[in-house]
Each structure stands twice: as C-alpha cells, then as structure tokens.
Amino acid sequence: MSSDLKTHNNKWQPATQVIHAGAAHDDPHGALTAPLYQTSTFRFSSAEQGTRRFAGEEEGYIYSRLGNPTTAELERRMASLEGYEAAAAAATGMGAIAAATMAFVRSGDHIVVSDAIYGCSFALFSELFERFGVEADFIDLNNEGLLKETLRENTRLVFLETPANPHLKVVDIEKVHAVIADLDIRLVVDNTFMTPLMQQPKRHGADIVVHSATKFLNGHGDVVAGIICGSDDDINTIKSTTLKDMGATISPHDAWLILRGLKTLDVRMQRHCENADAVYDFLAARNDIKKIYYPGAPDHEAQALMGKQMSRNGAVIAFELEGDEAKARYFLNQLRMIALAVSLGDAETLIQHPASMTHSPYTPEARLKAGISDTLIRIAVGLEAADDIIADLEQALEACRVQWQKSA
C-alpha cells in the first residue's frame, strides 16, 4: 500500500473509508472495483523465487491460504476502519475468535471472559480450551474489583463482547483496560454488533478486535467470514500460526463479497439503527412485553457509554414476553414476514430464541447466570420499511393474545 494511501486513510471519514480504504488501485486494466483473484495458488517465475518467498526473503503470494490480493485488500480496509496496523481475514467469525485467542495461550494458562458472550464462543472457552489445559473464568467484567481478584500470574488474555449477544449487555472497555494495562495480558474485544462505524475498541485500550464479518460488514446474508484487527506483530503471529495451521482462512470470493458489502455499510447502518429505534418504541408501548434489552432504552446501562464508547444504539433488540416458553415459541411461529433464523446484519429482519438456538451450548446454570431466560427473544432489525416490521410483530402479538385468551 502506498504512503499516499495511508495518509489519506487517516484523514477520511468512516463513510469514505468503507468505500476507499485499502484499495490497491494497481489493476493493469484500471478496474474500479477490486478484481477477484479466484485462485488457489500462484505461479513462481523460477524455483529460486519460490524458495525466497517461502523463506520470507521476498514479498509475494504463494497460496491463497497464506495470502491473496483480494483478501489483502479486505484486510487493509478493515485495519483502517478499526484504526489498527493490520488485519487478518478468517473463514468464519468463530475461526477469527479461535485463531486470535489460541495464538497467545498454551496449556497451563488462564483467561478471563465476560459472562455474556455468544454461545459458540462460550463453548470454545469453556470446553475446547479446558480440554487443552487452558482454564477460563467467566465473570461480570463491569465489576473491576472482581476482575482484579480473578486475574492470576498466568492470565494471558481477557475476552469480551460489547454489546453482548443476545441481550445487549455492555462493558466499559476503558475500565477493563485500566485494570490490565500494566500486565502482560491482551484485551480482545468482539465488535460485531457495533461495527467500527459505531464503536472503535482500540481507542479504549483493546489490543485485538474481532468481527463476525458474516453480519453487518457483509450485510447480504450470503457469506460466513471473520476479521481480526491488531498490531503488525500480533497479526503476523496469528497469520503464521493458528490461522494458517488450522486452515481457517477466508476464500477470495467471500473476501470480494465483503468488500462489496462494506461500500454500503454506512448507509445500511443508518437505516438499521433508525428501524431499531422505531421497533423499540413500539415494543416499549405494549403491556404484553415483560422486559426489553436495548442500548437505546433510557434505563439501559449503555446510556452511560453513549458518545464516549458507542455512537449509536445498534440494530439488535432482545425482549421477554409476559408468559412462558410455550408462548414465546407460539409468538415466533405466527410471524409472516420476519424470518425465524439465526444471525443478524442482513437486509431481512431476523428473529430467534437464544436459549434453544444460538445459546444452546450454555448449560442451564450458565444461561441463568448470563440472564438468558426461556422467554427471551432476539430480533435483528433489518432494512425493510419500519412500519412493515412493526405490523408483523403486532399481528403475531395479537395472535398470542387471542390464543391465550382461549386457553385461559
């Protein structure tokens, strides 16, 4: 990447960066859109060149698991958006989390994890890490005293999501960083729900940021992928060890699709957030909703971080219906337009039941500790007209009311 491009990236606003940052502009035919290098391997001009590249003595591509021009452009763009020196693209969000964390721990080490995270992240740290001798403590990271008490001499990293999946718990990244700033402990933050447009964890002390690029970054529901952003040294370590050797690298075509999706990230997030605010207002006005978890709610803990750590409320809402799990399931089955599906960040509004779906890897005790009830529902608000999203929710809630009146 040229020095001129790096200088411009530092001056551009995020809405410009999602379109231009990291662009190579070296296509011999002058293609405006980044070319797709759909190739598994690259030709060497000589045996000597191949030897030099494998020895790290000459820059250049070898094999797409180790690097690819399309993937490299995505990595440059994401590093620029998050404010880091470098990035690594992975085949899935969980591939990114596994590669980013496993690169810095070994048997006998200890990690500290937020008590509210995605189900598969929980399973990774509570089961797989434990199998290989890495112990994890899951705690409330907003409790600074508890964090200090939990740290050990062999603690190597702290991992958190904010806002957390599924009920939007937020963590003050800066306060967590302050506790571990003088220790040899990396702070890893999952920034999937906010995107770098609404939250940049590096500004608050995060050493590494991970994303499920499947979600808002791509935005079209046709890719599974992950992104890791960090320092040159950390990204080089991840790329040359866990990411390479586990084989969790992204395909060039998926990288190209995410580059396409990033161009509309700014305008999409504006619509996502506007729609989510409207859906929250609708839910908040109803007496058949027991509780709502949404950073935009006046009583949500996220309000203390607005303007400091977060710039918008995001587009995910969790809520609990009055009633039991059977009523929650009945409600989900009455929806007509809103898709009953896991994931988020798509153009379509998606809704799901965390306790039996995304967070089913949790034990019942862990779900209770994390506040994931059997009536909790998570809705990822899409890009449809807000009135149509609300109308579908309203008719499903009305169907519940009628059904429960009959059975009363």
Side-chain angles (χ1 to χ4, degrees):
M1 178 166 46
S2 72
S3 59
D4 286 344
L5 183 57
K6 286 183 179 179
T7 301
H8 288 149
N9 285 351
N10 291 334
K11 296 178 180 178
W12 285 334
Q13 295 297 311
T16 305
Q17 285 183 299
V18 294
I19 298 172
H20 293 288
H25 296 304
D26 58 359
D27 178 65
H29 304 292
L32 177 64
T33 300
L36 168 58
Y37 289 85
Q38 188 65 47
T39 181
S40 58
T41 194
F42 297 84
R43 189 195 307 267
F44 304 130
S45 62
S46 66
E48 289 74 19
Q49 183 186 61
T51 300
R52 290 193 301 271
R53 288 190 181 178
F54 268 92
E57 298 168 356
E58 176 184 307
E59 289 189 0
Y61 295 102
I62 297 171
Y63 185 67
S64 279
R65 178 163 54 86
L66 309 178
N68 175 285
T70 308
T71 301
E73 181 158 335
L74 171 62
E75 292 169 341
R76 289 193 299 269
R77 189 160 302 176
M78 283 305 304
S80 175
L81 284 166
E82 284 286 10
Y84 286 94
E85 295 173 338
T92 66
M94 282 309 304
I97 291 170
T101 53
M102 294 176 79
F104 302 106
V105 295
R106 63 181 61 195
S107 181
D109 285 344
H110 171 252
I111 66 172
V112 179
V113 184
S114 172
D115 58 4
I117 57 171
Y118 172 52
C120 289
S121 298
F122 176 84
L124 173 71
F125 299 130
S126 65
E127 297 176 17
L128 193 59
F129 269 42
E130 294 277 354
R131 282 176 55 194
F132 291 98
V134 178
E135 189 175 353
D137 276 318
F138 296 84
I139 67 168
D140 178 4
L141 287 176
N142 285 319
N143 187 331
E144 296 166 72
L146 180 59
L147 174 57
K148 290 176 183 177
E149 292 173 8
T150 306
L151 295 176
R152 308 176 189 173
E153 289 186 3
N154 62 336
T155 303
R156 294 292 171 259
L157 63 86
V158 174
F159 179 91
L160 64 94
E161 293 175 14
T162 183
N165 191 352
H167 51 37
L168 295 308
K169 176 180 178 178
V170 297
V171 176
D172 189 323
I173 301 168
E174 201 167 278
K175 288 183 178 180
V176 175
H177 172 256
V179 174
I180 63 173
D182 297 327
L183 304 173
D184 184 21
I185 299 173
R186 284 176 174 80
L187 177 55
V188 183
V189 177
D190 186 330
N191 197 29
T192 297
F193 274 36
M194 282 287 98
T195 81
L197 298 188
M198 299 187 293
Q199 180 174 267
Q200 291 186 317
K202 182 177 185 291
R203 294 183 177 182
H204 307 283
D207 297 294
I208 294 172
V209 166
V210 294
H211 288 270
S212 172
T214 309
K215 313 302 193 295
F216 294 110
L217 299 182
N218 176 55
H220 293 78
D222 52 10
V223 164
V224 287
I227 298 288
I228 311 162
C229 300
S231 67
D232 277 331
D233 285 347
D234 280 354
I235 295 300
N236 284 337
T237 296
I238 292 165
K239 281 187 170 182
S240 63
T241 58
T242 48
L243 192 60
K244 171 179 71 71
D245 295 334
M246 290 191 301
T249 46
I250 196 172
S251 78
H253 185 248
D254 287 347
W256 183 81
L257 287 171
I258 297 168
L259 281 168
R260 182 196 64 177
L262 280 173
K263 290 185 178 182
T264 59
L265 179 63
D266 183 69
V267 292
R268 286 189 288 107
M269 293 313 300
Q270 291 181 48
R271 178 63 173 265
H272 276 300
C273 291
E274 290 168 2
N275 281 355
D277 285 342
V279 170
Y280 166 75
D281 289 342
F282 163 75
L283 294 172
R286 297 191 63 92
N287 58 16
D288 50 0
I289 303 296
K290 180 179 179 181
K291 188 169 183 178
I292 304 174
Y293 304 85
Y294 181 54
D299 60 346
H300 196 282
E301 57 195 359
Q303 291 302 304
L305 297 176
M306 287 298 170
K308 173 192 171 188
Q309 180 174 298
M310 306 161 61
S311 63
R312 296 291 294 269
N313 299 323
V316 181
I317 304 171
F319 61 93
E320 296 179 31
L321 293 176
E322 291 285 1
D324 56 13
E325 183 177 353
K327 188 173 182 179
R329 291 179 180 276
Y330 185 85
F331 163 76
L332 291 172
N333 290 334
Q334 305 315 303
L335 293 164
R336 298 167 182 167
M337 180 193 75
I338 297 171
L340 181 53
V342 297
S343 198
L344 52 108
D346 291 357
E348 297 85 358
T349 296
L350 307 178
I351 200 164
Q352 61 109 358
H353 181 246
S356 65
M357 297 178 187
T358 54
H359 289 69
S360 57
Y362 275 63
T363 63
E365 295 76 20
R367 281 202 301 275
L368 181 64
K369 182 181 177 182
I372 303 169
S373 73
D374 289 339
T375 61
L376 186 71
I377 291 168
R378 190 194 74 188
I379 180 169
V381 182
L383 302 179
E384 305 96 341
D387 287 348
D388 292 330
I389 300 170
I390 291 168
D392 199 20
L393 291 170
E394 187 170 31
Q395 67 81 23
L397 288 168
E398 177 62 16
C400 280
R401 185 189 66 80
V402 171
Q403 177 65 23
W404 259 252
Q405 274 186 344
K406 290 179 182 177
S407 59

